[in-house]
Every structure is written in structure tokens, then in C-alpha cells.
Amino acid sequence: LAHPNVITVHEFFRDGPHRYITMELLEGRPLDELLKTDYWGGLPLDQAWPIIDGLCRALHYGHEKGIVHSDIKPANIFVCEDGTVKVLDLGIARPMRIPNVPESEQTTFDPGKRLGSLTPAYASLEMWYQEEPDPRDDIYALACVAYMLLAGVHPFKGTSAKKAFEQELVPDKIESISRGQWAAITGGLKFKRADRIKSVDQFLSLFAPQSVARKRLKVAAWIGLAAVAILLPIDLEYYERLVEERVIQTPVSTMPRSEEHTSELQSQFR
């Protein structure tokens, strides 16, 4: 994966029995450390939003490439000194099943099934039962991290989805955010995959601050207008050429009677 919000891996090496990789050097601090110090007690939305946005961008890109991270948690999110957010550690990332591709052509190594690794407090209920990887596994962890950034604590006080589901736990409401933002978090925290928010885009459409949402709508509107402005002259030119070609290629016998009669009169006068 190559994305501004995903740590860059430069090379893979092997030295005798040892295997290792070289990655970009990051200057900053991991989110789990920040939550215990600078971010203790939670952040206001305007400070939490850039981190959540960077995390969402990384996940959206990974999902587009057919990869579920499967281990999103504060320790795997790094906040650089310039504010850039980097997602780390794709050691147990899982490939999604590609529709309409034969089983024989699918990637066979699935760390989730072969290694059985997960982080209890951030793993979705489906990960506990080793079900097929799905973007909604990451959505659950994303909602946990977003909640922690805003409230300063885990939504279920560190309890796994498996136990929280059995105990019917409900996260305390965060009063400092809007109804839509709260709906994004609670939608991401649904225990059953079928009830959970389906994609990062859907999460962002609910969670993004109004100023960001308005900006995105404006950009989309301008793109639409630009497309119309570009395509309209092309369509008009195409239409004009089509009409000209049809006029040139139309036999005299197919012309309307009045036009045919006029042609005859003109030839007689000549």
C-alpha cells in the first residue's frame, strides 16, 4: 500500500535466519501514548477530527485495494509532529474475497485464519469467530478509536465485543458532538455486522463536521458544473455534425414532397 496516511515500507530483507523490513522514519508519538498524556480525558471535536479524518483516509484506501487492516487500535496509529496521521502494523491485515474471481485465483494466505491474531478490545464480533474479512471489521475499531479520542475512554471500558455483546453493554453518550456524529459512532459500534455502518464513506457522511461536509458538497457541485461545461460544447458539436451528415447523405427521393417539387421547378427555370 502506498498512501500518505499509511506508513511506507521501503524494502524487505533476509539475513540468514532473520527477516526484516525497512520503513520510513516517523517523528511524533503513537496515539496510545498520547491518550495517556496530552489527550487524557478526550479532545474537542476540532482537535480530534484531523486524526479521525487521517485514519478514515487510510482505511478507505486499504479497502479499495481489497485489504482489511484487522488491527486498528491506538497503538497502531501514529501522530507525526506535523499533524500527519500514519496507520502502522499491517501484520495481520486480511485480503477480502474478490467477487466474480474463481477460488483458485484468490490469495490463499489469510493471517486471520492462519495466525488467529486479534486485539480483544478492538476486534469485531465476527473476528472472534474467524468469519470472512469485511470492511466493517475495521469500522468497529474505527468507531472505538473515535470514541476514545472524544471521550478519553474505550466505549465499553476495554471490554471485548464478545463480552460486551453477551452483557448487552451500551456506550455512554458523548454530549459534545452532534446527533449525526453520535449516530456515526453508535452505528460503527453495532455488534452484528449486518447492523453496522457499511463503509468508511458512510461513516464520514455522518461524522464529518458541517463545514467539511459543506466543502465536499461544493467541490462535488463544482466538479459537476465543470463536467457539464466541458461536455456541452462537445455534445453540441457532435449534434451539428450528425445533422450535417444526415442532410448530405439523404437521397432526394426521401425529401419531403414540397422540397422535391421546389427542386423540379428550379431545374426547369435553369
Side-chain angles (χ1 to χ4, degrees):
L1 300 177
H3 188 273
N5 297 113
V6 178
I7 191 168
T8 301
V9 176
H10 295 299
E11 292 180 285
F12 294 83
F13 287 98
R14 179 174 179 173
D15 181 14
H18 305 291
R19 295 177 179 82
Y20 61 96
I21 59 178
T22 58
M23 299 182 287
E24 65 175 314
L25 175 65
L26 301 180
E27 296 182 356
R29 298 163 71 188
L31 185 57
D32 62 333
E33 182 181 313
L34 288 167
L35 285 168
K36 295 174 184 175
T37 54
D38 300 35
Y39 300 169
W40 184 85
L43 294 173
L45 180 63
D46 62 336
Q47 293 180 40
W49 164 246
I51 300 172
I52 296 169
D53 183 48
L55 174 57
C56 286
R57 290 174 186 272
L59 291 177
H60 176 78
Y61 172 77
H63 295 166
E64 281 192 327
K65 295 295 183 180
I67 299 294
V68 178
H69 188 285
S70 303
D71 200 21
I72 290 296
K73 57 185 178 183
N76 287 340
I77 301 166
F78 196 91
V79 182
C80 300
E81 290 181 354
D82 65 358
T84 303
V85 173
K86 295 278 187 175
V87 170
L88 319 177
D89 193 359
L90 283 90
I92 60 170
R94 303 182 66 188
M96 287 188 279
R97 185 171 297 280
I98 305 171
N100 303 320
V101 174
E103 183 72 23
S104 60
E105 297 182 19
Q106 301 276 354
T107 301
T108 56
F109 181 75
D110 185 344
K113 290 185 177 179
R114 297 288 292 276
L115 304 178
S117 301
L118 53 77
T119 301
Y122 303 93
S124 67
L125 195 60
E126 293 78 18
M127 289 178 65
W128 283 94
Y129 297 107
Q130 295 189 348
E131 294 186 17
E132 289 292 330
D134 186 281
R136 287 168 287 187
D137 296 331
D138 286 343
I139 296 296
Y140 179 81
L142 164 64
C144 286
V145 172
Y147 188 99
M148 293 180 71
L149 278 167
L150 294 164
V153 294
H154 186 277
F156 303 113
K157 308 300 186 290
T159 303
S160 70
K162 190 176 181 181
K163 290 184 178 179
F165 174 67
E166 293 169 354
Q167 297 172 18
E168 299 182 349
L169 298 183
V170 178
D172 295 332
K173 191 175 187 307
I174 301 174
E175 300 294 343
S176 61
I177 58 177
S178 69
R179 188 182 305 172
Q181 289 158 349
W182 179 241
I185 291 178
T186 54
L189 291 174
K190 295 292 185 183
F191 295 121
K192 294 184 179 179
R193 181 180 284 175
D195 301 329
R196 203 175 305 142
I197 284 179
K198 295 178 175 58
S199 68
V200 175
D201 282 343
Q202 187 181 358
F203 180 89
L204 282 174
S205 68
L206 291 168
F207 190 87
Q210 290 187 355
S211 57
V212 175
R214 283 196 219 101
K215 184 177 180 181
R216 287 179 177 173
L217 285 173
K218 286 181 180 179
V219 170
W222 279 112
I223 291 173
L225 288 172
V228 171
I230 292 169
L231 293 175
L232 187 57
I234 295 174
D235 289 342
L236 287 173
E237 183 180 354
Y238 172 77
Y239 178 75
E240 290 173 356
R241 287 181 182 177
L242 186 64
V243 171
E244 289 175 1
E245 288 174 2
R246 286 185 177 177
V247 170
I248 291 169
Q249 294 173 6
T250 302
V252 174
S253 60
T254 62
M255 295 173 65
R257 183 65 187 169
S258 58
E259 294 183 17
E260 187 177 352
H261 181 64
T262 303
S263 299
E264 290 176 1
L265 288 174
Q266 287 176 347
S267 62
Q268 288 175 10
F269 278 113
R270 290 197 192 96

